[in-house]
Each structure stands twice: as C-alpha cells, then as structure tokens.
Amino acid sequence: MGSVPDVDVLVVGAGVTGIYQLHRALEEGFTARLLEAGTGPGGVWHWNRYPEARLDSESFTYGYFFDRTLFDDWRWSEYFAGQPENEAYFRYVVARRGLDAYIEYGARVTSAVWDEATGTWAVEAGNGTRVRARFVVSATGVLSIPVFPAVEGRESFRGVAHHTGLWPDEEIDFTGKRVAVVGTGSSGVQVIPAVADVVESLTVYQRTPNWVTPLNNEPITDEQQEQLRRDFERIRDTCEQGPTGFMHLPHDRKTFDDTHDVRQRFYETMWRTAKGFSKLSSNYLDMMTDPRANAEWSAFVADRIREVVDDPELAEKLIPDHPFAAKRPPFGTRYFEAYNKPNVELVSLKETPMVRVTETGIETTDGHREFDIIVWATGFDGFTGALTRIDVVGEGGRVLRDRWSHGVITYLGAMVPGFPNFFIAGGPHMIAGNFPRATEIMVDYITGVLRYARTNGHTFVAPDSEASAEWTDEVHQAATIPLMAENSWFRGANIPGKAREYLAYAGSLRKFRERMDAMGEQGYPGLTFGTPVRA
Ligand code: NAP
C-alpha cells in the first residue's frame, strides 16, 4: 500500500446505508470503493435468511427515495416483504445504479489505521485487500454481529445449528425434525410460527417473554401498487416529516383523555388492523412516557394473549412483566397461536435455566431434550459491535474499542474525537426510527461534509472534543424521557460487561433532519477542517 490514497472515500458495508453512501460519493464525483464482508449486497437482508425473516417497516417506506425511477420500477408484493424480496431489491438497486463495479464482496474489514503523516486511512480486509483512503465511512450496521449465549458445550452439538443472523444460503429442511429455538425476540418470533407446522416437535427456550402484537401484513394489490406510485411524494414527505420516519401519524390524544370504552375500542383497532410499528408510533401520545398509560395498553395485549393461548398456565408464561416496548417489540404473525399446537413446547429459562448444550441436545435444570436442529435467535451486539471488532486505530494509536470501553462518545453519531476523516453512517447515537430514513440523514450529512472539505481545499476533518461531549450529553438527556428499551440491546443490556447506556438518539427524526441539513449553511459547526494534515 503506497502513501497516496487509492480513493477519496472508502465505504465499509453494502447494506441499505452503505449502498446509498457509495451512490452519493460517486454522484459527487469522489473516487470511491466499497468493501463488504458478505457475498452480495443487502446487509441484514443478506445475512438473516432464516425462515420468515421479513420487514416490520412497510416495504415502500424502507426502500430508497433518492431516485423516483427506482421506486416506480420496483414492485413490492407485500406491505412487509420477506427476506428474499428485500435482498432482491438491493441487488436491483446496485445493478440499476451500476454500483457493482465499485464493490468488492467477501472482503471483511479487519483494521483501519490512521496515518497522521499522510492524512489517510490504511484499511485492510481479511481476504488480503488493502486500500488507502482519504476518508472512511463505516456503514457496518447496528445489528451485524450475532451473539451466542456463553453456554457450555454449544459447539459440541452434532446436529444442525445456526444463528438467525448468520443463516446459510442453503435450504434447511425442518420437515419432521426435532427443533429447538432459543430466544423470543423479533427473530425468534418470526421463526417459531414459520416452522411449527412442519416439524415433528418444536421446543422454544424463552428467557424473557415479549409483547408481540400482530404485524397485520397483507399483499399489495396491483391497484394499490399503482396508488403507491401516484403517492410517491406524499409517502416520502410523510416519512421525512414525521417523528420516526414511518408513514404512521401520531395520535392526537393521551390515554386518559378517553373513557375506558373509547380506549378499548381504539386498542382493538390497533390490535386488529394497525400495521407494524404503528402500535407504537400511532398509539396514545403518552404510551411511552406515562407508566399508567403503558400499563393500560399492556393489559389489553395481555388479555389478547390469554384469549389466543388455550392453556391458561402457558398464557401466563408468555405474558411479559416489563412495560410495552421496554424491549424493542416484535411484530408477529400467528405467533401465540403456534403454542396451541400439540407438538410445540415452551421451556421457561427463568424457571429452568440452561445448563449445557450436548452433542445431541440441550440440558436445562429440568432435564435433557434431544434435537436435530437448534436455531439460535439470541440477538446481536447492537450499535457498537461491528466497529469494536475492527481495529480502528486513530490519532496517537488510540483504538476505537478502548475509546468506547466506558461509554460511547460521538459527534452527531457521525464522528468520534481522535479519529479524523472517519465517519459513521448508522451506528451508535444515530437517530432512532425507520432505519433507512434515519441513516440517509447521516449519509447526506457526511456527503455534505466531504463536499465542503473539497470545495474549501481541506483534506482533514475532525470533530471538536467539546462539541462531541455536548452531543453525547444530549443523547443521554434525550434517553431519560422514554420508557423505551429499558432493558434491551438498545442499552447494551444483552452483552455481559457492555457499558449500560442508551445507544440511539431518541429525538424527533424530523427535527434531527432539519438540524443536520442546516449544518452546511453554518459551515459545519463542531468540526475542525484543515490543510495540510497535522504533522
Ligand atoms: P433480540 O431482540 O436481542 O432477542 C434475543 C433473544 O434471545 C431474546 O429473547 C433473549 O432473551 C434471548 N437470549 C439472549 N441471550 C440469551 C441467553 N444467554 N440465554 C437464553 N436466551 C437468550 O434479537 P433478535 O430477535 O435477533 O432481534 C434483534 C433486533 O433485530 C430486533 O430488536 C429488531 O430491531 C431487529 N429484527 C427485526 C426484524 C423485523 O421484523 N424486521 C426481525 C428480526 C430482527 P432476553 O430478552 O432475556 O435477553
């Protein structure tokens, strides 16, 4: 690797964010490349190939808005499309924009080292690829590092075992098999009903029950598809101007503004017809701020679980004791119904903890069960996991994982003090909400910074320490408002030893967009630009 940069911009990761960043960098006339660990584009939609993996953002609000023709020429088959369709969508976008020529697949970035003398990053991937870049944009995703429980013997199991987030690109036949699913987050909630009909037996290992409400998915008819095309601007503007990046409009009332009967009717509508996240984003305004309001909705959902599940004792085990959305709520399809099948068993790990995995099955304190297939639906090292696994070495040889070991610090979620010319598009401190709508704000901001630097002849940009401390404080302040994700991967709670802090920015997406968009006119406050680079 020479000392002259090979490219202006190196993007890491070909998920929804990295593809858009690559497009924006090229569009601006920068030389750019993208390194991707997987064998194809799509990020989470490349890796999470487990049965029934599907969106819970409406498909047409998840795809890109930057090119009207991409929207018009693609047909979503369902409100919430499944993994194969989502992956095909990203292949379509990459092909349509001619991006493949700039992407190297099978290149998992292992290190990025800042070279103060030249003001460039030396980046290396596991396949031997080395790139020297003026700027690096990490688009490594917030859910890209799967985690397994630290249980004895896990690797000794001789049957088929896969993590939902590392699912192989081959058909796994569940027919007539004895199957274990460990974990009841969004992934487990999708797998369980998907395989329950065909397996010989299904044992669900549940540590914490979840508030699963119906996804209420439906096919998109030809007429609806035509309407979506006509509504492009309205859809885009509604997502961009809403507080969460979804189409769902906020409710105009608080819970106890309505009588008990009116509330129950509203909840009933939410349960029966409201799609995906609208159970959260269009619920009563105080649902996430007033514990009594949250308890009211939670009690309604608990009653629905009792209604659906035939065995009353089992129903109680499936009802959470945390507030709704204290963990990121899954949206399911016939999830609780699966437990009425005689071949489906629930093992509560709270009552009977897992002891070990054996060559033939799983042992808990109440005994050993044998399996042909184990599905580990046990989650991810969220937000920071991908970045802390890369040796990102900044000024003075400081490593990013050490910088963050006692808590994350960023500037606007986009940069870290001490790591010049290194951007993060979709990582810790990013605005929470419909993911592509949130990360496109970051990509647009980063692209604006790059353009500004070029226009003004700068080859160096770094965030100011004071501005970074202020922003990080704002992230923490914003997180004190909601009940949201009290005990979830949003706070690093699923990773032993990880600092407990809210890892996203809980502000309004619309306000954050306005704020980020205005930065350019203000000369990008909080950043120091320079030329030549520091000696
Ligand atoms: P998750 O929400 O973190 O759930 C992991 C599950 O595994 C939890 O039930 C957890 O129990 C359990 N678990 C973890 N460690 C365990 C251990 N040592 N022993 C026993 N059980 C253990 O992970 P996920 O379901 O993969 O979902 C992660 C995120 O991905 C979601 O929140 C969502 O944002 C996204 N996702 C979205 C969709 C979609 O619908 N579009 C689908 C899948 C995933 P505890 O709760 O007790 O920790």
Side-chain angles (χ1 to χ4, degrees):
M1 205 171 350
S3 58
V4 178
D6 303 314
V7 285
D8 299 324
V9 182
L10 180 74
V11 182
V12 185
V16 62
T17 312
I19 292 170
Y20 180 49
Q21 180 63 76
L22 178 64
H23 157 73
R24 287 299 318 269
L26 292 168
E27 184 187 54
E28 289 290 338
F30 291 105
T31 55
R33 271 174 79 179
L34 187 152
L35 300 182
E36 161 59 47
T39 54
V44 292
W45 301 109
H46 171 81
W47 297 103
N48 289 260
R49 321 175 80 83
Y50 61 84
E52 264 304 300
R54 74 173 53 248
L55 278 167
D56 57 12
S57 297
E58 281 81 351
S59 315
F60 47 89
T61 70
Y62 190 87
Y64 295 111
F65 289 157
F66 69 86
D67 176 348
R68 173 74 194 256
T69 67
L70 283 178
F71 186 90
D72 284 348
D73 296 346
W74 181 258
R75 196 198 185 300
W76 293 105
S77 67
E78 294 173 276
Y79 274 79
F80 303 98
Q83 178 273 332
E85 189 167 331
N86 298 329
E87 191 182 29
Y89 173 77
F90 289 107
R91 285 208 206 98
Y92 153 81
V93 173
V94 165
R96 275 283 291 263
R97 303 301 308 197
L99 298 177
D100 253 330
Y102 303 90
I103 303 178
E104 182 177 335
Y105 296 107
R108 179 179 290 279
V109 169
T110 51
S111 72
V113 180
W114 172 243
D115 178 358
E116 300 201 18
T118 59
T120 57
W121 283 91
V123 178
E124 291 196 21
N127 67 344
T129 292
R130 302 163 96 198
V131 182
R132 186 171 288 277
R134 177 66 71 197
F135 301 101
V136 173
V137 183
S138 167
T140 44
V142 301
L143 291 164
S144 47
I145 302 295
V147 289
F148 293 91
V151 57
E152 182 194 321
R154 186 178 57 78
E155 301 209 335
S156 67
F157 180 64
R158 282 188 291 149
V160 173
H162 295 295
H163 191 288
T164 49
L166 267 180
W167 202 261
D169 188 10
E170 68 193 54
E171 190 72 23
I172 306 286
D173 187 4
F174 285 81
T175 316
K177 300 286 179 6
R178 298 163 304 168
V179 176
V181 174
V182 185
T184 51
S186 300
S187 304
V189 160
Q190 291 182 331
V191 176
I192 288 161
V195 301
D197 283 339
V198 300
V199 295
E200 179 186 306
S201 66
L202 173 62
T203 308
V204 177
Y205 289 90
Q206 169 188 277
R207 191 164 66 181
T208 311
N210 250 318
W211 291 114
V212 185
T213 54
L215 182 63
N216 291 327
N217 193 16
E218 277 180 284
I220 294 177
T221 63
D222 290 344
E223 295 77 56
Q224 285 168 329
Q225 181 62 46
E226 282 314 308
Q227 190 61 45
L228 287 176
R229 289 184 181 129
R230 285 194 290 277
D231 281 351
F232 172 78
E233 271 102 8
R234 187 178 66 83
I235 294 169
R236 184 196 56 201
D237 294 350
T238 312
C239 289
E240 288 183 359
Q241 285 157 26
T244 53
F246 289 103
M247 286 283 285
H248 321 139
L249 298 174
H251 201 298
D252 58 356
R253 297 170 72 77
K254 291 185 178 174
T255 304
F256 302 104
D257 291 345
D258 282 341
T259 62
H260 178 267
D261 287 355
V262 172
R263 283 201 298 274
Q264 293 301 308
R265 279 202 297 280
F266 172 72
Y267 290 152
E268 195 68 41
T269 315
M270 281 270 124
W271 177 267
R272 287 192 190 288
T273 56
K275 297 206 178 305
F277 267 94
S278 56
K279 261 87 65 187
L280 189 56
S281 47
S282 302
N283 213 312
Y284 283 114
L285 284 172
D286 53 353
M287 207 264 287
M288 292 311 296
T289 51
D290 178 353
R292 279 195 322 132
N294 190 297
E296 188 85 355
W297 164 246
S298 300
F300 173 87
V301 177
D303 282 345
R304 300 292 75 68
I305 298 171
R306 292 186 184 103
E307 227 166 56
V308 171
V309 179
D310 295 339
D311 174 349
E313 225 175 282
L314 177 58
E316 294 311 312
K317 288 187 184 176
L318 288 163
I319 295 172
D321 59 9
H322 56 261
F324 184 85
K327 283 179 177 290
R328 194 280 208 187
F331 303 100
T333 301
R334 300 189 62 74
Y335 171 68
F336 292 112
E337 285 81 347
Y339 292 94
N340 291 334
K341 294 181 191 295
N343 62 336
V344 177
E345 183 193 10
L346 181 80
V347 176
S348 167
L349 293 174
K350 289 231 163 96
E351 290 168 15
T352 56
M354 201 177 282
V355 177
R356 65 178 65 85
V357 179
T358 68
E359 289 186 2
T360 56
I362 294 176
E363 185 183 329
T364 56
T365 52
D366 75 339
H368 182 264
R369 292 169 180 80
E370 299 214 328
F371 299 111
D372 304 305
I373 302 176
I374 300 178
V375 178
W376 295 101
T378 44
F380 300 85
D381 186 354
F383 289 103
T384 55
L387 278 160
T388 54
R389 276 164 183 79
I390 298 172
D391 293 328
V392 182
V393 185
E395 284 177 334
R398 189 98 191 256
V399 181
L400 185 58
R401 89 174 66 83
D402 298 336
R403 185 80 174 85
W404 282 351
S405 59
H406 298 295
V408 169
I409 180 163
T410 73
Y411 178 57
L412 302 171
M415 294 196 87
V416 182
F419 296 81
N421 292 12
F422 188 95
F423 296 91
I424 303 169
H429 295 182
M430 64 172 282
I431 183 91
N434 187 11
F435 192 74
R437 303 286 75 85
T439 61
E440 73 189 348
I441 301 172
M442 307 303 292
V443 169
D444 290 345
Y445 170 80
I446 292 165
T447 309
V449 173
L450 296 176
R451 192 176 43 218
Y452 180 88
R454 181 179 56 193
T455 305
N456 293 285
H458 300 310
T459 53
F460 174 96
V461 54
D464 302 338
S465 295
E466 201 177 314
S468 304
E470 272 170 26
W471 164 255
T472 300
D473 194 44
E474 188 180 333
V475 170
H476 296 160
Q477 292 305 319
T480 59
I481 303 165
L483 291 170
M484 182 83 184
E486 263 177 356
N487 181 21
S488 86
W489 61 269
F490 266 73
R491 286 188 193 271
N494 62 330
I495 305 293
K498 190 163 171 170
R500 283 284 194 112
E501 54 181 339
Y502 193 73
L503 286 162
Y505 175 53
S508 148
L509 190 126
R510 177 179 59 77
K511 288 190 188 146
F512 185 66
R513 180 189 299 279
E514 286 166 1
R515 178 171 168 184
M516 294 295 262
D517 287 351
M519 295 275 178
E521 289 153 28
Q522 299 158 19
Y524 291 101
L527 297 180
T528 295
F529 292 86
T531 305
V533 293
R534 287 176 192 180

